[in-house]
Amino acid sequence: MLRATSRRISQSVLLRRPRPPSPELLFLPFLYPPVSRNLRWLRSSLSVSSIEPSPNPPRPRRTYSTTTCHVAMPDTLVGIDGGYNPGSNPVGLKGRDITSVEGPSLLIVDTPRLRDSVKKKARIIGGISEDKHEVLATFEACIRVGRIARAQLMLNTITNLLDITSPLLVGAHNTFLKALLNRALAENSQDSLRVFYTWYEDTMKRELNISGDATTMGLLMEGCFAVAEKRHGTRYIQQYFSQWKEQGRDINEVFALSILSDEHVIAVAKICGLKPDDMSEKYKNLYLEEAVEPAITKVANVQSSDVKGSSLAAIKQSLASLTDPDAMPSRHSFGQDDVTFQIERQKHLEMDAMKSAHERWKKDHEQLVERGIAPLRNSVNTLLWSWHQALVPLIKQELQRVAEAEENPGYPSAPDRCLYGPFLRLMTPEKVAAVVILEIIRMQNSQLNGEGTKSSHAVMAIGKILEQEYYAQELAKRKNRDIFGSLEKEELGELFNNMAMFRAVIKKARQKMLENPQQTVDLMLEWPGSVKAKLGAVLISMLLHCAKISITKLLPNGERSIQHHPAIQHAYNYVKGRRLGVLKLHPDVVQKLGSQPLRGSSMGRNLPMLVPPLPWLAWNEGGYYYTRSRVVRTKASKEQDIYVQTASNRGDLDQLFQGLDVLGQTAWKINKRVFDVVLHVWNEGEEFADIPPRDTGLDIPPEPAPNENPRVRMEWVKEVRRIKVLEKNNHSQRCNINLKLEIARAFLFEKFYFPHNVDFRGRAYPIPPNLNHIGDDLSRGLLMFDEGKELGENGLRWLKIHCANLAGYDKASFTDRVKFVDENLEDVIDSAENPLGGRRWWLKAEDPWQCLAACISITGALKLPDPTKYKCHTIVAQDGTCNGLQHYAALGGDLEGAKQVNLEPSDKPQDVYTGVAELVKAQVKKDADAGNSVAILLLGHITRKVVKQSVMTNVYGVTFIGARAQIQKQLEDNPAIPRQEVVRCAGYLARLVFDGIKSVFTGATKIQHWLALTARMISRSVSPAQYGDLKDHHNGVLQDSKNSHIRRKGKVEFMTSVVWTTPLRMAVVQPYRQESSVIVQTNLQKIYISDPSAIDQVNSKKQMTAFPPNFIHSLDATHMLLSARKCAEIGITFAAVHDSFWTHPSDVDKLNRILREAFIELHSVNIMEKLKDEFETRYKGYKYLVSIPRHAPQAKLIKAARKQYAMEILEKSGLTVVEDLEWELERDRLLASEDPQERQKGEKMITPSVILHRAGGARVVEVQEPLGAELGEVPSSAAVERAMAQQDVFDDGDDDSAMDKSSTIEAMIADGEEAHMELDNFDEDREAQETEKMLPPTTTRETLATGIHVWVPLEFPPLPPKGDFEVERLKNSQYFFS
């Protein structure tokens, strides 16, 4: 309720000013130059026909700027629903209007600041928290559920906590006023109405001197119409109008709100003597015409009959939109056309997921009861219904206990109930129970390892989904949220067929909303983390108690016994020495979920859409119609949110929005012929293609005797564990497939769409998580384009090439691939006409389900007299050749690498995986000849498939451990390799694979090294924004502390993340920081939650190891979105999965041209040079802490200079890290002075950086620290990191200095949990963690242990020289994407 309470805040933050689409929005290269230069490489748009710049290019409206836009770091952020989180001003509005900044200036947000002290746990007095966020959110919840008396107590606390001028305070009192007014109107009580006016006149106006805003005035005037004596009400309206006018305010501000009905607005205008010309156009027309009531209101009500059951009530509820004026659609109705119908269906799809699941469970349960069947022993739906029926009474009992706690907050459990109780009341117990059960099932479906869900994750997930469901419930009630209510009827004809018109219409509608002031009531706060944790825990505890499953046991006497077992268990697992609480479903429940249809019971809200997604217009505006989504997926990173929201407000994300809109406009449908085959196979329950069997058929081997050899027993334990894991994985996979099939069945005859957003690197993903085109072979095989296009001249050829690719014959020339399909044409036709009863040739393909779809289309085309006329819906994919290596080869001009990844023209496609495999084979043969036992074992078993995954992921930062695991997985399927030798063989091969990559991609290796080195330097630097805070180390603000999550006396915090700008002007912020957690004690277990408002120190190692792959990800994401926009311009249907681009067979030739020219356009400039330029601008004036060996000659001079400075100037024996930094900054200040004497003094100062500079610079003597897993680099030890964690920053070793003994680089950059990278090809979190463990030593332990550290200016190393490859040669490479 208390969000965006200031109009000035909400207008500029919530709704970015719509910008007219411009063909000149795309500028390449993308990185803003820090100095003025000849920008000949600028392009006004992406050209498909030519890459040559015009001799006199037109001047674009928005050009590159030499300026930068600095934005202050706000304390808190705008929430997902566009509201305002309490605490401070929103993003970018501290003393500046970011929308007025001339783009495209470089966006730079001030370096975050670490907290000065530990945040104290808020006290709870009388059941009311003293935490500002908690009390505001709880106050909102109390108002929502009508607990006015308790809300008043909280409002008193809020008044004491907030400044009297705070807009939040006005909003809180407005919220309370509205609750009082609603109560008075509901009770039709004049006494309650007096309480309403007394609160304003006595409390707000006299005691607090709060006169209120437009919302306050609207509420007061609305209350006047409820006054019993009409003449008194009229007089009050005149008094409040005079009061408003005396303040110099316009009454139209009040009228623009939705507080007063249209009739009351006209009545106020007439009472106050306003003329029609004094009012807005809308009310001017209403003032002059008679109000027309809906005709239905004049029809007499139908007398209800004595009908048993709920059918009549259900019918009435369904007809409410036709009979209840308040529930009727907007006056700007759409009419009875199909578009309107689909939009209405979309609303139900988004809003009624929980309700439909609840009704389905109930229906199945009742049908079984009527048939006399025990419900607990049958379908999943009736099982879930039984849980629901048991959980609802427990929730109601808990609500009673909450009420008792609020009356008597003194007993032990009362404070917690007073905290979460108001939030539990926000939805009905029936809806809460359904949400909890559905989320538990959803989490189980997402756990493919069968090991259960971490209870800490489950607790927070339950709290979060309840919050989202509440938001959705409230947003659906708001008429102004329905954008289509503002659209004109005549604009709908071509709306969904014209993307440009669609965007323009939505912008126009939102602009109308923007012009109307927002209310300072009915706004929603983010729920506090502690509330979500406690609420989730108490609800899960209830479900653990009541959720049962019936198990039939065979007794020794032969009788059967039915026992009721807990369906969900809370247990503890030990992971790497840590005890983690987990929730596990009973095996029989898992079996049911994997073998029975869910029938809509757990599909969730984020489903495919029945209408085209809303165009993205802001960071939180786009995609679904009634559910909020973020355009960028961030993971609890305040810094990322700041950049995203600020860039959105500035218009920097317009190009990103347009690319995502193209992806969302692609219409899909289910391939019914493939679906029929899948459904038949699924119902049979046998293993087929990638569908696991219903029953694995594996039996637990007999347990060895107690006196058996321990080794035999150990092997038995391993085998049992292997079978158990296989069974769990099998069930989990069936659950996942079951969900996909349910969604496919529901959409079987529908045309649907996938709204898209991006991760923090700019990679696009469909928002619906289950069935989508980014999924596995089964998902892709089930999907096809809704629009069919005739094959045309080359369509059948490309369809055959596509079929050959799917069959695994993808390394031959195009001609040979077509020949391959022609030679197997009988099998292709047999596969299409008799997929299960025939020869099943399609099952031999690498991607069988997609291959089946291709066979069906080829057969359909060949049956026509003219195959070119066949309307094809099948997708043809164009895949890049290890796309990451393609970008590396282009960046470094690596000629040999370019040949390997098909950037160079050739007669047949080059295969980097085969190339590396051949190098590995040669080395294995050589080692085998030399007698290497592992090499001898592997002779003849090295295939392309064995090395492919490790080669593909190496470019994205896979570690040696990760590559070994990937190869091990391939070797485990080879019976010729003894199981006990698999790990050793995998490690041996991983080293050879890394060596092979390094020998081929020399240029890429150098680029990756430079990226990792610069990331390390950035993450170990301090910014000018931090310099001003150094005084706090001397003025008593900071104290000595061992807590690394706060600012500490004598220590410097490393707060700088690696930030860069993509070609689409999206600022990418790496989120890797330490995380400070707060313990929340719940009745389930202790839960650790992180404070989303806090920004901790960076994790230097993770910033360093993640930057190279993340930078490459941002480039391939840019290439994809640029290609998508151009495809939309020329009318090509387009879909993509990162580096696999899809279109109709007839359009593949056009798509290929677009892909090449987009790649050339992207790399036609020196991207690395532009990145270096941006870094030099973004990190100008930063100081970097460099390490040099203690034995170096410069080290002795530095130690002597420090000792002299400390004794003569500071009169102490040594320097702290802060004092050494201040010494360097003082020299910089003197050198920059306008006073010649000060400049001369600065020139004479000899600081450690001066000594180092005179010796040739830091890079001459700097300790060569490891940079983690580089391309083809094989780490061997973690000694370096352990040594660094033990050394002192400025311990010069020859005196008892005052240096902080714990201020090492690694002590200042403690490990933290890495942010989640969503939906990638491998687990990058795990990879980064493994990289930290595997950092190789480049110097001895003695060298590191005796090193010293020096503050130097942050200066980036020279870029590696670029090779001879010219990216323009790509134009003639037919196998670039194939």
CSV table of all heavy atoms in Angstrom, one decimal, residues 543-573:
chain,number,residue,atom,x,y,z
A,543,LEU,N,1.8,-28.6,6.7
A,543,LEU,CA,1.7,-29.6,5.6
A,543,LEU,C,2.4,-30.9,6.0
A,543,LEU,O,1.9,-32.0,5.7
A,543,LEU,CB,2.2,-29.0,4.3
A,543,LEU,CG,2.0,-29.9,3.1
A,543,LEU,CD1,0.5,-30.1,2.8
A,543,LEU,CD2,2.6,-29.2,1.9
A,544,LEU,N,3.5,-30.8,6.6
A,544,LEU,CA,4.2,-32.0,7.1
A,544,LEU,C,3.4,-32.8,8.0
A,544,LEU,O,3.4,-34.1,8.1
A,544,LEU,CB,5.5,-31.7,7.8
A,544,LEU,CG,6.7,-31.1,6.9
A,544,LEU,CD1,7.8,-30.7,7.8
A,544,LEU,CD2,7.1,-32.0,5.9
A,545,HIS,N,2.6,-32.1,8.8
A,545,HIS,CA,1.8,-32.8,9.9
A,545,HIS,C,0.5,-33.5,9.2
A,545,HIS,O,0.1,-34.5,9.7
A,545,HIS,CB,1.3,-31.7,10.9
A,545,HIS,CG,0.3,-32.3,11.9
A,545,HIS,ND1,0.7,-33.1,12.9
A,545,HIS,CD2,-1.0,-32.1,12.0
A,545,HIS,CE1,-0.3,-33.4,13.6
A,545,HIS,NE2,-1.4,-32.8,13.1
A,546,CYS,N,-0.1,-32.8,8.2
A,546,CYS,CA,-1.3,-33.3,7.7
A,546,CYS,C,-1.3,-34.1,6.4
A,546,CYS,O,-2.2,-34.8,6.1
A,546,CYS,CB,-2.3,-32.2,7.6
A,546,CYS,SG,-1.9,-31.0,6.3
A,547,ALA,N,-0.2,-34.0,5.6
A,547,ALA,CA,-0.1,-34.6,4.3
A,547,ALA,C,0.2,-36.1,4.5
A,547,ALA,O,1.3,-36.4,5.0
A,547,ALA,CB,0.9,-33.9,3.4
A,548,LYS,N,-0.7,-37.0,4.1
A,548,LYS,CA,-0.5,-38.4,4.3
A,548,LYS,C,-0.6,-39.1,3.0
A,548,LYS,O,-1.3,-38.6,2.1
A,548,LYS,CB,-1.5,-39.0,5.3
A,548,LYS,CG,-1.5,-38.3,6.7
A,548,LYS,CD,-0.2,-38.5,7.5
A,548,LYS,CE,-0.3,-37.8,8.8
A,548,LYS,NZ,1.0,-38.0,9.6
A,549,ILE,N,-0.1,-40.3,2.9
A,549,ILE,CA,-0.3,-41.2,1.8
A,549,ILE,C,-0.5,-42.6,2.3
A,549,ILE,O,0.1,-43.0,3.3
A,549,ILE,CB,0.9,-41.2,0.8
A,549,ILE,CG1,0.6,-42.0,-0.4
A,549,ILE,CG2,2.2,-41.6,1.5
A,549,ILE,CD1,1.6,-41.9,-1.5
A,550,SER,N,-1.4,-43.3,1.7
A,550,SER,CA,-1.8,-44.7,2.2
A,550,SER,C,-0.9,-45.7,1.5
A,550,SER,O,-0.7,-45.7,0.3
A,550,SER,CB,-3.2,-45.0,1.8
A,550,SER,OG,-4.1,-44.1,2.5
A,551,ILE,N,-0.3,-46.5,2.4
A,551,ILE,CA,0.6,-47.6,1.9
A,551,ILE,C,0.0,-48.9,2.3
A,551,ILE,O,-0.4,-49.1,3.5
A,551,ILE,CB,2.0,-47.4,2.5
A,551,ILE,CG1,2.6,-46.0,2.2
A,551,ILE,CG2,3.0,-48.5,2.0
A,551,ILE,CD1,2.7,-45.7,0.8
A,552,THR,N,0.0,-49.8,1.4
A,552,THR,CA,-0.5,-51.2,1.7
A,552,THR,C,0.6,-52.1,2.0
A,552,THR,O,1.6,-52.2,1.2
A,552,THR,CB,-1.3,-51.7,0.5
A,552,THR,OG1,-2.4,-50.8,0.2
A,552,THR,CG2,-1.9,-53.1,0.8
A,553,LYS,N,0.6,-52.7,3.2
A,553,LYS,CA,1.7,-53.6,3.6
A,553,LYS,C,1.1,-55.0,3.7
A,553,LYS,O,0.0,-55.2,4.2
A,553,LYS,CB,2.2,-53.1,5.0
A,553,LYS,CG,2.9,-51.8,5.0
A,553,LYS,CD,4.3,-51.9,4.4
A,553,LYS,CE,5.1,-50.6,4.5
A,553,LYS,NZ,6.4,-50.7,3.9
A,554,LEU,N,2.0,-55.9,3.3
A,554,LEU,CA,1.6,-57.3,3.4
A,554,LEU,C,2.2,-57.9,4.8
A,554,LEU,O,3.4,-57.9,5.0
A,554,LEU,CB,2.2,-58.1,2.3
A,554,LEU,CG,1.8,-59.6,2.2
A,554,LEU,CD1,0.3,-59.7,2.0
A,554,LEU,CD2,2.5,-60.3,1.1
A,555,LEU,N,1.3,-58.3,5.7
A,555,LEU,CA,1.6,-58.7,7.0
A,555,LEU,C,2.1,-60.2,6.9
A,555,LEU,O,1.9,-60.9,5.9
A,555,LEU,CB,0.4,-58.7,7.9
A,555,LEU,CG,-0.1,-57.3,8.1
A,555,LEU,CD1,-1.3,-57.3,9.1
A,555,LEU,CD2,0.9,-56.3,8.7
A,556,PRO,N,2.9,-60.6,7.9
A,556,PRO,CA,3.4,-62.0,7.9
A,556,PRO,C,2.3,-63.1,7.8
A,556,PRO,O,2.6,-64.1,7.2
A,556,PRO,CB,4.2,-62.1,9.2
A,556,PRO,CG,4.5,-60.7,9.6
A,556,PRO,CD,3.4,-59.9,9.0
A,557,ASN,N,1.1,-62.8,8.3
A,557,ASN,CA,0.1,-63.7,8.2
A,557,ASN,C,-0.7,-63.7,6.9
A,557,ASN,O,-1.7,-64.4,6.7
A,557,ASN,CB,-0.9,-63.5,9.3
A,557,ASN,CG,-1.6,-62.1,9.3
A,557,ASN,OD1,-1.3,-61.4,8.3
A,557,ASN,ND2,-2.3,-61.8,10.3
A,558,GLY,N,-0.2,-62.9,5.9
A,558,GLY,CA,-0.8,-62.9,4.6
A,558,GLY,C,-1.8,-61.8,4.4
A,558,GLY,O,-2.3,-61.6,3.3
A,559,GLU,N,-2.2,-61.2,5.5
A,559,GLU,CA,-3.3,-60.1,5.4
A,559,GLU,C,-2.6,-58.8,4.9
A,559,GLU,O,-1.4,-58.6,5.1
A,559,GLU,CB,-3.9,-59.9,6.7
A,559,GLU,CG,-4.7,-61.1,7.2
A,559,GLU,CD,-5.4,-60.8,8.6
A,559,GLU,OE1,-5.2,-59.7,9.1
A,559,GLU,OE2,-6.1,-61.7,9.1
A,560,ARG,N,-3.5,-58.0,4.4
A,560,ARG,CA,-3.0,-56.6,3.9
A,560,ARG,C,-3.4,-55.6,4.9
A,560,ARG,O,-4.5,-55.6,5.4
A,560,ARG,CB,-3.5,-56.3,2.5
A,560,ARG,CG,-3.0,-57.2,1.4
A,560,ARG,CD,-3.6,-56.9,0.1
A,560,ARG,NE,-3.1,-57.7,-1.0
A,560,ARG,CZ,-2.0,-57.6,-1.7
A,560,ARG,NH1,-1.3,-56.5,-1.4
A,560,ARG,NH2,-1.6,-58.4,-2.6
A,561,SER,N,-2.5,-54.7,5.2
A,561,SER,CA,-2.7,-53.6,6.1
A,561,SER,C,-2.5,-52.3,5.5
A,561,SER,O,-1.4,-52.1,4.8
A,561,SER,CB,-1.8,-53.7,7.4
A,561,SER,OG,-1.9,-52.6,8.2
A,562,ILE,N,-3.5,-51.4,5.6
A,562,ILE,CA,-3.3,-50.0,5.0
A,562,ILE,C,-2.8,-49.1,6.1
A,562,ILE,O,-3.4,-48.9,7.2
A,562,ILE,CB,-4.6,-49.5,4.4
A,562,ILE,CG1,-5.1,-50.4,3.3
A,562,ILE,CG2,-4.5,-48.1,4.0
A,562,ILE,CD1,-6.4,-50.0,2.7
A,563,GLN,N,-1.6,-48.5,5.9
A,563,GLN,CA,-1.0,-47.6,6.8
A,563,GLN,C,-0.9,-46.2,6.2
A,563,GLN,O,-0.7,-46.1,5.0
A,563,GLN,CB,0.4,-48.1,7.2
A,563,GLN,CG,0.4,-49.5,7.8
A,563,GLN,CD,1.8,-50.0,8.1
A,563,GLN,OE1,2.8,-49.3,7.8
A,563,GLN,NE2,1.9,-51.2,8.6
A,564,HIS,N,-1.1,-45.2,7.0
A,564,HIS,CA,-1.0,-43.8,6.6
A,564,HIS,C,0.4,-43.3,7.0
A,564,HIS,O,0.7,-43.1,8.1
A,564,HIS,CB,-2.1,-42.9,7.2
A,564,HIS,CG,-3.5,-43.4,6.8
A,564,HIS,ND1,-3.9,-43.4,5.5
A,564,HIS,CD2,-4.5,-43.9,7.5
A,564,HIS,CE1,-5.1,-43.8,5.4
A,564,HIS,NE2,-5.5,-44.1,6.7
A,565,HIS,N,1.2,-43.0,6.0
A,565,HIS,CA,2.6,-42.5,6.2
A,565,HIS,C,2.7,-41.0,5.8
A,565,HIS,O,1.9,-40.5,5.0
A,565,HIS,CB,3.6,-43.3,5.3
A,565,HIS,CG,3.8,-44.7,5.7
A,565,HIS,ND1,4.9,-45.4,5.3
A,565,HIS,CD2,3.1,-45.5,6.6
A,565,HIS,CE1,4.8,-46.6,5.9
A,565,HIS,NE2,3.8,-46.7,6.6
A,566,PRO,N,3.6,-40.3,6.5
A,566,PRO,CA,3.8,-38.9,6.1
A,566,PRO,C,4.2,-38.8,4.6
A,566,PRO,O,5.1,-39.5,4.2
A,566,PRO,CB,4.9,-38.4,7.0
A,566,PRO,CG,4.9,-39.4,8.2
A,566,PRO,CD,4.4,-40.7,7.6
A,567,ALA,N,3.5,-37.9,3.9
A,567,ALA,CA,3.9,-37.8,2.5
A,567,ALA,C,5.1,-37.0,2.2
A,567,ALA,O,5.8,-37.1,1.2
A,567,ALA,CB,2.7,-37.2,1.7
A,568,ILE,N,5.4,-36.1,3.2
A,568,ILE,CA,6.6,-35.2,3.1
A,568,ILE,C,7.4,-35.4,4.4
A,568,ILE,O,6.9,-35.3,5.5
A,568,ILE,CB,6.2,-33.8,2.9
A,568,ILE,CG1,5.2,-33.6,1.7
A,568,ILE,CG2,7.5,-32.9,2.6
A,568,ILE,CD1,4.6,-32.3,1.6
A,569,GLN,N,8.7,-35.5,4.2
A,569,GLN,CA,9.6,-35.7,5.4
A,569,GLN,C,10.6,-34.6,5.5
A,569,GLN,O,11.1,-34.2,4.4
A,569,GLN,CB,10.3,-37.1,5.3
A,569,GLN,CG,9.3,-38.3,5.4
A,569,GLN,CD,10.1,-39.6,5.2
A,569,GLN,OE1,11.1,-39.6,4.7
A,569,GLN,NE2,9.5,-40.7,5.7
A,570,HIS,N,10.8,-34.1,6.7
A,570,HIS,CA,11.9,-33.2,6.9
A,570,HIS,C,13.1,-33.9,7.5
A,570,HIS,O,13.0,-34.5,8.6
A,570,HIS,CB,11.4,-32.0,7.9
A,570,HIS,CG,12.5,-31.0,8.1
A,570,HIS,ND1,13.1,-30.9,9.4
A,570,HIS,CD2,13.1,-30.1,7.3
A,570,HIS,CE1,14.0,-29.9,9.3
A,570,HIS,NE2,14.0,-29.5,8.1
A,571,ALA,N,14.2,-33.9,6.8
A,571,ALA,CA,15.4,-34.6,7.2
A,571,ALA,C,16.6,-33.7,7.1
A,571,ALA,O,16.5,-32.6,6.6
A,571,ALA,CB,15.5,-35.9,6.4
A,572,TYR,N,17.8,-34.3,7.4
A,572,TYR,CA,19.0,-33.6,7.3
A,572,TYR,C,20.0,-34.4,6.5
A,572,TYR,O,20.1,-35.6,6.6
A,572,TYR,CB,19.6,-33.3,8.7
A,572,TYR,CG,18.9,-32.2,9.4
A,572,TYR,CD1,17.9,-32.6,10.4
A,572,TYR,CD2,19.1,-30.9,9.3
A,572,TYR,CE1,17.2,-31.6,11.1
A,572,TYR,CE2,18.4,-29.9,10.0
A,572,TYR,CZ,17.5,-30.3,10.9
A,572,TYR,OH,16.8,-29.3,11.6
A,573,ASN,N,20.6,-33.7,5.5
A,573,ASN,CA,21.7,-34.3,4.7
A,573,ASN,C,23.0,-33.6,5.1
A,573,ASN,O,23.0,-32.4,5.4
A,573,ASN,CB,21.4,-34.2,3.2
A,573,ASN,CG,20.4,-35.2,2.8
A,573,ASN,OD1,20.0,-36.1,3.5
A,573,ASN,ND2,20.0,-35.0,1.5
